[in-house]
């Protein structure tokens, strides 16, 4: 069943398109929720739960992560927030059904092609966002930024991935192992948690740079940092398991646990990036916009590991055993195209901004002692 020949009905293309529309509508509803809300839904309070990793110089900040502290009266804003949450859940349900249908059709875990793995990333990020923000923390405020991130990721999957990387392909012998399901599932959980952390980072930047009603409707900066920290704290142990299970699987398939393949190297870089994030956050007590940029920079590294290796291998003429399967006449990877170049330049710019922000804190111009950061 291909996208070009599919008709409207209960099939994968229709369900995927429905999820795509729901992400856009969820973003609009969540944005309206912020624009029509006049007070913060999450407030810093001495009665709240203590932020993790205060560290030296960071002090201890308490944060209430519940709407109960300052619950506004029922209003149009709440209706839009609930509508956004409902649309996000509908997108998750549609995408879940589409993945199940593709799984049944091709007969194996649908994470072989670039399109399949990107779709799984969108699904996993939606799942963790619903559990963390709508379920555990009970706040709609970060939804606009998370929905925007999800919409952009699925836009890439639907519009910029070549047709050769969307078609289902059979499993190669190396992938016919139970380690395939274990390793890839753990990677999806880890990368989805990091994507959720990046959504929280976008929320913190919105709190910092957007003024007026939107800024006042967002949670406090301390609460957003807690959201971001929790997401990264979930993803990092799973990223560790990604490296471990990948080494075991590689040793079983190729009799070599580590071969310095580009994908393996970038997976290690991802692990080191988030290890640095946790070190700076917990041990050094860094707070504020710097952590938001570091979270976004870390997600740039995730995207390079997750998607960009295919492009980098082709661009620099390298080889990799982990490039996504393609089913065309000569078996060569598709051309990178203008869109691919634009994506890479955007990711590099984000990584540069994250590094610049961190360097400003690490090496301040003033020789006076650094002020304590919240």
């Amino acid at each position: 069943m291909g996208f070009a020949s599919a008709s409207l009905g209960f099939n994968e293309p229709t369900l995927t398109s429905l999820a795509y529309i729901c992400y856009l509508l969820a973003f609009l509803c969540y944005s309206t929720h912020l624009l029509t809300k006049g007070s913060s839904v999450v407030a810093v309070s001495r009665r709240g739960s203590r932020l993790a990793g205060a560290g030296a110089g960071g002090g201890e900040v308490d944060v209430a992560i519940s709407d109960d502290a300052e619950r506004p009266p029922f209003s149009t804003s709440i209706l839009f927030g609930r509508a956004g949450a409902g649309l996000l859940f509908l997108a998750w349900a549609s995408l879940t059904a589409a993945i199940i249908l593709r799984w049944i059709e091709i007969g194996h875990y649908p994470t072989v092609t670039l399109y399949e793995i990107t779709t799984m990333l969108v699904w996993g990020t939606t799942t963790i966002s619903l559990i963390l923000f709508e379920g555990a923390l009970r706040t709609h405020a970060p939804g606009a930024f998370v929905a925007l991130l999800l919409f952009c990721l699925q836009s890439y999957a639907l519009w910029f991935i070549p047709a050769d990387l969307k078609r289902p392909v059979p499993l190669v012998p190396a992938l016919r192992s139970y380690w395939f399901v274990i390793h890839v599932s753990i990677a999806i959980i880890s990368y989805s948690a990091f994507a959720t952390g990046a959504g929280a980072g976008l929320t913190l930047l919105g709190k910092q740079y957007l003024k007026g009603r939107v800024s006042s409707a967002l949670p406090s900066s301390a609460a957003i940092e807690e959201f971001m920290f929790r997401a990264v704290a979930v993803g990092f142990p799973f990223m560790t398991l990604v490296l471990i299970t990948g080494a075991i699987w590689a040793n079983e398939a190729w009799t070599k646990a580590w071969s310095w393949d580009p994908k393996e190297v970038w997976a290690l870089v991802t692990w080191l990036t988030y290890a640095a994030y946790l070190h700076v956050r917990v041990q050094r007590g860094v707070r504020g916009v710097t952590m938001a940029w570091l979270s976004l920079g870390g997600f740039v590294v995730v995207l390079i590991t997750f998607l960009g290796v295919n492009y980098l291998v082709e661009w620099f003429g390298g080889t990799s055993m982990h490039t996504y399967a393609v089913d065309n006449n000569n078996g060569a990877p598709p051309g990178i195209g203008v869109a691919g170049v634009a994506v890479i330049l955007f990711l590099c710019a984000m990584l540069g901004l994250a590094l610049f922000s961190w360097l400003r804190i690490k090496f301040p111009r003033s020789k006076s002692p650094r002020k304590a950061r919240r």
Side-chain angles (χ1 to χ4, degrees), residues 119-363:
T119 302
M120 290 297 290
L121 175 62
V122 174
W123 178 86
T125 305
T126 307
T127 303
I128 292 180
S129 299
L130 286 171
I131 293 173
L132 180 62
F133 295 132
E134 300 293 344
L137 304 176
R138 297 186 181 278
T139 176
H140 305 309
F145 302 93
V146 175
L148 177 61
L149 178 63
L150 291 168
F151 178 75
C152 291
L153 285 173
Q154 198 173 10
S155 295
Y156 170 77
L158 292 179
W159 300 108
F160 294 109
I161 294 179
D164 288 327
L165 291 179
K166 288 183 179 178
R167 299 193 192 103
V169 296
L171 288 177
V172 298
L175 298 181
R176 294 168 188 167
S177 168
Y178 59 89
W179 284 111
F180 171 57
V181 177
I182 295 173
H183 175 71
V184 175
S185 297
I186 293 173
I188 290 169
I189 295 173
S190 175
Y191 295 159
S192 298
F194 293 149
T196 305
L202 287 173
T203 308
L204 185 57
L205 293 178
K207 179 72 175 179
Q208 179 70 22
Y209 296 117
L210 296 178
K211 304 301 181 183
R213 190 178 290 271
V214 173
S215 180
S216 64
L218 288 172
S220 64
S221 297
I224 299 172
E225 284 191 41
E226 181 72 2
F227 300 160
M228 189 165 54
F229 174 78
R230 289 189 183 191
V232 173
V234 169
F236 185 73
F238 282 99
M239 189 64 215
T240 304
L241 290 176
V242 167
L243 296 178
I244 295 173
T245 56
I248 296 173
W249 184 18
N251 187 67
E252 179 184 283
W254 300 309
T255 68
K256 194 174 183 180
W258 190 268
S259 58
W260 294 104
D261 184 88
K263 189 84 165 186
E264 296 172 351
V265 171
W266 276 102
L268 179 60
V269 171
T270 302
W271 186 88
L272 292 173
T273 299
Y274 281 99
Y277 172 96
L278 293 175
H279 172 76
V280 169
R281 171 68 160 73
V282 176
Q283 298 298 325
R284 305 297 295 178
V286 177
R287 295 289 187 271
V289 177
T290 298
M291 299 311 299
W293 281 118
L294 287 178
S295 178
L296 290 174
F299 188 59
V300 169
V301 178
V302 167
L303 289 179
I304 295 174
T305 306
F306 199 65
L307 307 172
V309 169
N310 251 40
Y311 294 128
L312 295 175
V313 166
E314 179 206 348
W315 209 5
F316 294 103
T319 58
S320 174
M321 294 181 290
H322 294 82
T323 51
Y324 296 110
V326 61
D327 188 18
N328 55 21
N329 294 330
N330 56 13
I336 189 170
V338 176
V341 174
V343 169
I344 289 176
L345 291 177
F346 172 75
L347 296 180
C348 290
M350 293 294 290
L351 189 59
L353 284 172
L355 179 61
F356 175 73
S357 180
W358 179 81
L359 288 174
R360 285 188 62 187
I361 297 296
K362 187 67 176 177
F363 305 103

Side-chain angles (χ1 to χ4, degrees), residues 83-96:
L87 286 165
L88 198 63
F89 179 80
L90 180 58
W92 176 86
S94 299
L95 209 56
T96 301

Side-chain angles (χ1 to χ4, degrees), residues 8-81:
L8 186 65
F10 190 75
N11 52 49
E12 181 204 343
T14 300
L15 291 170
T16 304
S17 300
L18 175 61
Y20 182 63
I21 295 172
C22 286
Y23 284 127
L24 176 59
L25 294 177
F27 166 69
L28 295 176
C29 285
Y30 277 130
S31 299
T32 306
H33 166 71
L34 293 179
L35 291 172
T36 55
K37 192 171 184 64
S39 61
S40 178
V41 296
V42 181
V44 175
S45 170
R46 291 293 176 187
R47 300 189 305 271
S49 58
R50 184 163 295 144
L51 277 172
E60 290 187 353
V61 180
D62 293 337
V63 56
I65 312 181
S66 173
D67 290 344
D68 295 336
E70 295 182 9
R71 186 179 296 277
F74 190 80
S75 64
T76 305
S77 176
I78 294 178
L79 284 178
F80 278 110

